Amino acid sequence: MTSRQTLIVGDIQGCYKGLRQLLDKCEFESSRDQLIAVGDLVARGEDSLATVEYLMSLNGSFRTVLGNHDLHLLSVIEGIKAPNPKDNLDNLLASSRLAEISYWLRRFPLAMKLDAQHTVVHAGLFPLWSTSQLLALSDEVSQALSSTRYLELLNNMYANEPQNWRESLDGFARLRFIINACTRMRFLSTDYRLNVAEKGKPSAAPPHLKPWFELDNEHLGGHEKIIFGHWAALTGVTDKKQVIGLDTGYVWGNTMSAYRVETGEIIAVSAG
Ligand SMILES: [Mn+2]
């Protein structure tokens, strides 16, 4: 690559070695290019601390949307939740830079628009929302995350309710729905009820549940693309031109993927 590129990388999950291999393969130059992540920067991989320190070192060349694992890390840092025993966060939690890491992380949004075409969000676009509504709702959560309500929000974040979106939702129920839709959604029932329990492949789900991208979204423009992660069981396959899944399960031994915005290419490295 000799011209500036914008790369969107799938779920990194603390897989530092895979991230660096993927960026090398893409010929990523931090002085020239932009790197954007779909969230879940940390968790089960071999080195969540090295991953975060590297991404922080990129300064303005790196941005992310927040994933469920990133929000959970904030709760763990604040002592609201215990670390998940399946995660590998010990070195990160022991870091002398922990306060700096928390401050850095919680200033990122749940969703971002790169241009008129490309929207990035960890779990997906709730199909009753337009991308501009998604951005406005993401801002509501960001305001709480950067305010004195920060700890209260983390304390009120853990529940699977409400399942139905209503514009009249308010308080923490509203913020929780936005967080669940943006960071945990996979399936919805056909009446647009959020189901965050089911995790497998669409073909293995009960018939009343559909992947979020299979439900009609009358607000999504024909030129728009949604770039998301979170759902490793899809291995990136959505069968929709407008919906680009980048969680290809590197942490489970599969691949880590990046989408090159300028060309529409997917570049991947294998864990095996
Ligand atoms: Mn996730």
Side-chain angles (χ1 to χ4, degrees):
M1 293 301 290
T2 50
S3 57
R4 182 181 184 277
Q5 55 178 339
T6 308
L7 296 169
I8 309 175
V9 62
D11 302 43
I12 302 166
Q13 287 248 13
C15 296
Y16 177 65
K17 195 168 130 254
L19 171 66
R20 296 304 301 268
Q21 278 176 355
L22 179 58
L23 294 180
D24 285 348
K25 188 167 177 182
C26 296
E27 300 181 38
F28 173 74
E29 296 274 358
S30 63
S31 57
R32 177 194 63 198
D33 300 331
Q34 286 285 313
L35 179 65
I36 291 154
V38 301
D40 283 359
L41 307 179
V42 299
R44 300 197 187 193
E46 85 283 359
D47 203 334
S48 285
L49 178 61
T51 301
V52 165
E53 288 190 322
Y54 172 70
L55 296 174
M56 287 169 85
S57 78
L58 297 177
N59 293 312
S61 305
F62 174 74
R63 288 178 291 160
T64 190
V65 295
L66 295 174
N68 52 311
H69 286 288
D70 308 313
L71 290 171
H72 188 68
L73 173 63
L74 293 174
S75 294
V76 171
I77 291 174
E78 299 300 339
I80 290 165
K81 288 280 174 175
N84 184 331
K86 294 175 190 160
D87 288 347
N88 183 17
L89 296 171
D90 290 356
N91 70 347
L92 192 157
L93 295 173
S95 167
S96 60
R97 299 179 70 189
L98 197 57
E100 188 191 343
I101 290 168
S102 163
Y103 186 83
W104 173 79
L105 197 56
R106 73 184 163 104
R107 264 141 190 85
F108 288 114
L110 294 184
M112 75 173 71
K113 238 176 184 173
L114 307 187
D115 51 41
Q117 199 181 1
H118 300 91
T119 299
V120 185
V121 54
H122 181 65
L125 172 64
F126 182 67
L128 294 175
W129 297 343
S130 66
T131 53
S132 42
Q133 192 176 4
L134 170 73
L135 276 265
L137 297 171
S138 163
D139 278 350
E140 292 183 26
V141 173
S142 291
Q143 278 172 23
L145 274 178
S146 57
S147 76
T148 51
R149 296 166 76 205
Y150 164 57
L151 294 180
E152 210 185 341
L153 174 63
L154 294 178
N155 265 306
N156 281 281
M157 181 174 75
Y158 291 91
N160 297 345
E161 304 284 336
Q163 297 184 327
N164 284 102
W165 169 251
R166 296 186 309 279
E167 184 50 45
S168 60
L169 280 176
D170 62 5
F172 289 116
R174 180 180 177 91
L175 297 178
R176 191 186 312 120
F177 186 94
I178 299 167
I179 288 171
N180 284 343
C182 291
T183 71
R184 300 175 65 206
M185 175 176 69
R186 290 187 183 91
F187 291 99
L188 303 170
S189 52
T190 45
D191 57 356
Y192 292 81
R193 205 147 30 94
L194 198 57
N195 176 305
V196 289
E198 197 71 33
K199 293 189 172 184
K201 286 181 195 295
S203 58
H208 70 284
L209 294 179
K210 301 282 180 216
W212 63 266
F213 49 82
E214 295 286 348
L215 270 73
D216 286 339
N217 184 333
E218 62 186 36
H219 309 286
L220 187 66
H223 62 287
E224 292 192 271
K225 285 185 162 64
I226 307 299
I227 296 115
F228 75 109
H230 185 60
W231 197 346
L234 289 178
T235 59
V237 179
T238 66
D239 295 325
K240 303 266 176 202
K241 279 199 186 116
Q242 289 182 262
V243 184
I244 299 163
L246 290 181
D247 186 358
T248 49
Y250 185 93
V251 74
W252 309 111
N254 297 319
T255 63
M256 195 185 295
S257 298
Y259 179 77
R260 187 177 274 146
V261 173
E262 289 76 11
T263 61
E265 290 163 271
I266 303 251
I267 303 107
V269 291
S270 174

